[in-house]
Amino acid sequence: MTQTLTIRRPDDWHLHLRDGDMLRAVLPHTAQHFARAIIMPNLVPPVVTGAEAAAYRDRILAALPEGADFTPLMTLYLTEDTDPDDVAKAHAEGLIHAVKLYPAGATTNSASGVSDFSRVAAVLGRMAEIGLPLCTHGEVTDPAIDIFDREAVFIERVLDPIRKAHPELRVVMEHITTADAVDYVMASDRNLAATITTHHLVINRNHILAGGIKPHYYCLPVAKRETHRLALRRAATSGDARFFLGTDSAPHTDANKLLPCGCAGCFTAPNTMSILAEVFEQEAALDRLEAFASRNGPAFYGLPVNEDTLTLVRETPDFPGHINTPDGPVTVFDPAMPLHWTA
Ligand code: NCD
Ligand code: ZN
């Protein structure tokens, strides 16, 4: 039995760090294991301009614990008023690594997102020219569409038309939750990849709804039925370069999770690597964890693989049920299975 596993240091290609006290509380948990992360721009107000992204990057760097080695890879929040020149300048300066598309109203702090996709065609065209990836929150917001179908319908109604209009645009389908999304990625020959979260490899919709409602398993896109979870596990553990880790670790205080209208998001930063090792071992694919967590992401983003390494040891880890923050406790995602790897 393998007792230790050493991989290139991983990166997180989709992460929510928030700001202020919450940023300072959650950042050490990511910096402990991850060398870099694509930082989501859905603050209140959102990170829309290059200047705002630079200021946010500086607040993240200032919040890093002494001696931590972590690079935030910044993104801009796409609005219908986004200026293509500002985007191109922030990219040319090496400041931003992607632009994030939130359909207006799709998820937490997405009110400033896009309703009329024709109004962002010029920005998307420029991004295609300069090779700047678009990260998509892939859910339609049409109230007539069942929430469990919103990802599949987004592919058909929004994503595929965007990709046909801008074939050179590089797209990351973020936090995919369906076999439909896996199939769509597999059918593409270039310029398309997908991130998969830790929690979507572990839970299906029964975990949220059967035997009592579990707000801490509620995130967006919402977990789907078991066949979809199994498709995600096959994709993540396949080694296919088009699939890589984006934890979507999204901290909310327990007070905000446990409301009559609770916030969406699972906080997985502290235990993601232990959970992933467990999942990959269950799938007899420990040798492909490095591809998923450390190699495929940099390859898509055109960045070098990290030089340093992370060693996982076969030891039962001990994670707290929650972390304390000045805003209140934040529950750590419970994988509801024993874990055997410590990072
Ligand atoms: C994210 C958040 O809380 O910012 N929530 C979530 O459920 N994943 C937003 C998002 O990525 O959809
Ligand atoms: Zn997210």
Side-chain angles (χ1 to χ4, degrees):
M1 227 191 214
T2 319
Q3 296 302 323
T4 66
L5 177 67
T6 297
I7 60 172
R8 291 295 182 121
R9 197 156 166 233
D11 304 300
D12 184 348
W13 300 95
H14 180 128
L15 176 67
H16 299 271
L17 285 177
R18 316 301 189 204
D19 215 339
D21 285 341
M22 186 61 87
L23 165 63
R24 281 184 288 277
V26 300
L27 178 58
H29 295 280
T30 286
Q32 187 192 355
H33 295 141
F34 296 93
R36 299 169 289 197
I38 284 276
I39 309 300
M40 287 297 122
N42 63 332
L43 303 183
V44 191
V47 179
V48 173
T49 65
E52 287 160 0
Y56 186 30
R57 177 202 53 199
D58 293 347
R59 296 198 297 280
I60 295 169
L61 292 174
L64 274 172
E66 190 79 23
D69 178 13
F70 175 77
T71 305
L73 305 174
M74 308 310 292
T75 62
L76 296 183
Y77 184 119
L78 182 63
T79 73
E80 294 180 7
D81 300 316
T82 293
D83 172 8
D85 290 337
D86 184 60
V87 170
K89 180 167 166 283
H91 174 247
E93 288 167 352
L95 170 64
I96 61 158
H97 293 265
V99 171
K100 178 68 190 256
L101 165 67
Y102 290 102
T107 186
T108 311
N109 305 336
S110 61
S112 317
V114 179
S115 304
D116 178 353
F117 290 89
S118 71
R119 297 197 51 190
V120 295
V123 186
L124 299 183
R126 182 70 79 83
M127 289 168 60
E129 261 169 57
I130 62 181
L132 177 62
L134 178 74
C135 293
T136 60
H137 183 105
E139 291 189 287
V140 291
T141 53
D142 181 345
I145 304 297
D146 188 277
I147 190 164
F148 292 103
D149 297 333
R150 287 181 181 187
E151 182 170 288
V153 174
F154 177 86
I155 296 171
E156 177 193 313
R157 283 195 194 168
V158 181
L159 181 58
D160 200 56
I162 286 178
R163 292 188 63 243
K164 290 210 164 93
H166 305 278
E168 295 309 315
L169 183 65
R170 298 168 58 66
V171 176
V172 184
M173 297 171 70
E174 300 279 50
H175 44 50
I176 59 169
T177 58
T178 57
D180 309 67
V182 171
D183 291 346
Y184 186 72
V185 172
M186 302 278 277
S188 73
D189 52 353
R190 65 203 187 97
N191 291 342
L192 186 64
T195 57
I196 301 178
T197 75
T198 308
H199 49 281
H200 288 118
L201 295 172
V202 175
I203 60 167
N204 62 33
R205 63 196 195 181
N206 282 8
H207 290 83
I208 312 171
L209 296 171
I213 191 158
K214 318 286 190 324
H216 292 300
Y217 288 144
Y218 173 60
C219 68
L220 289 170
V222 71
K224 310 296 191 293
R225 63 168 64 240
E226 178 67 356
T227 48
H228 294 291
R229 185 184 74 104
L230 296 177
L232 298 175
R233 281 173 85 109
R234 278 194 298 276
T237 59
S238 67
D240 188 316
R242 292 169 292 188
F243 299 100
F244 44 87
L245 173 64
T247 66
D248 196 15
S249 181
H252 293 279
T253 61
D254 287 356
N256 285 334
K257 290 288 294 176
L258 304 176
L259 290 170
C261 181
C263 292
C266 296
F267 178 56
T268 54
N271 55 5
T272 273
M273 291 312 300
S274 289
I275 297 172
L276 287 176
E278 197 70 34
V279 166
F280 276 66
E281 183 158 58
Q282 287 166 358
E283 301 291 331
L286 265 183
D287 57 329
R288 294 199 277 270
L289 178 58
E290 184 179 62
F292 181 67
S294 314
R295 289 191 180 274
N296 297 347
F300 184 86
Y301 277 93
L303 294 168
V305 168
N306 295 311
E307 279 304 323
D308 44 351
T309 57
L310 177 77
T311 296
L312 291 129
V313 183
R314 190 183 295 282
E315 261 171 30
T316 303
D318 191 15
F319 292 106
H322 65 267
I323 65 160
N324 289 311
T325 82
D327 298 337
V330 173
T331 290
V332 176
F333 175 74
D334 174 4
M337 62 180 172
L339 299 177
H340 303 92
W341 289 94
T342 301

